[in-house]
Amino acid sequence: MPGPLLTDRQKMVIQFRKEGMTQQEIADELKTTRSNISLIEKSANDNIRLAKEALDYLYSLEATLVCTLSAGSELTQEIFLIYKAARQTGIKVQYDTGALMNRIMTAVPEKISDGTIREDINVYLNLTGIIYIY
């Protein structure tokens, strides 16, 4: 059985960072190097990202594919396809345009460059209007 998602050390580093401490300040506090804190923080963030992706995937299984944003298109133009497709399902999207764009750019940054969609992006919608992006 795998261990916990985050080690105690990773939790400490994340908590200290949330409190506004720099990596060097944390290193001094924990009597280690800044580069070690950097590695701990990166590993923790990677684990959190993977867990979030797994949860999003799990939740998307209860969602419906409403549209695909096409590669080569501008995100600002394609975003309206989501609202149109959602209206056709009778479900209200829970995000305004800015929040929806941010959600997409955060979910699949590797698929977007300078506002242009580089790879097709599948958009799923659940019954409560929450969007999942792959």
Side-chain angles (χ1 to χ4, degrees):
M1 176 121 180
L5 177 66
L6 297 174
T7 67
D8 289 341
R9 194 83 152 172
Q10 288 171 332
K11 290 176 186 176
M12 271 193 275
V13 169
I14 289 171
Q15 181 62 42
F16 285 144
R17 291 291 275 167
K18 184 176 169 97
E19 292 170 5
M21 292 175 70
T22 66
Q23 287 182 343
Q24 186 60 58
E25 290 169 336
I26 297 168
D28 294 343
E29 176 76 19
L30 300 179
K31 300 194 182 349
T32 187
T33 64
R34 191 211 54 81
S35 62
N36 188 39
I37 296 301
S38 179
L39 289 172
I40 292 169
E41 184 176 10
K42 181 187 180 318
S43 180
N45 287 329
D46 287 346
N47 290 348
I48 291 167
R49 180 186 51 78
L50 290 172
K52 183 179 180 309
E53 286 175 9
L55 284 172
D56 279 351
Y57 173 73
L58 179 65
Y59 295 141
S60 76
L61 295 176
E62 297 176 357
T64 303
L65 175 66
V66 289
C67 66
T68 299
L69 307 181
S70 301
S73 302
E74 293 296 317
L75 180 59
T76 55
Q77 298 302 312
E78 291 284 290
I79 203 87
F80 296 104
L81 291 176
I82 297 170
Y83 293 109
K84 181 179 178 182
R87 272 194 304 277
Q88 292 172 348
T89 67
I91 301 171
K92 181 174 176 11
V93 175
Q94 288 192 9
Y95 311 91
D96 64 24
T97 304
L100 183 53
M101 285 187 63
N102 187 46
R103 182 150 169 77
I104 293 169
M105 290 187 292
T106 302
V108 289
E110 70 283 358
K111 293 187 176 188
I112 301 168
S113 177
D114 296 326
T116 300
I117 300 169
R118 295 177 30 201
E119 293 178 43
D120 285 356
I121 299 171
N122 291 323
V123 179
Y124 296 82
L125 181 67
N126 74 9
L127 294 174
T128 61
I130 296 175
I131 295 282
Y132 300 95
I133 300 115
Y134 297 99

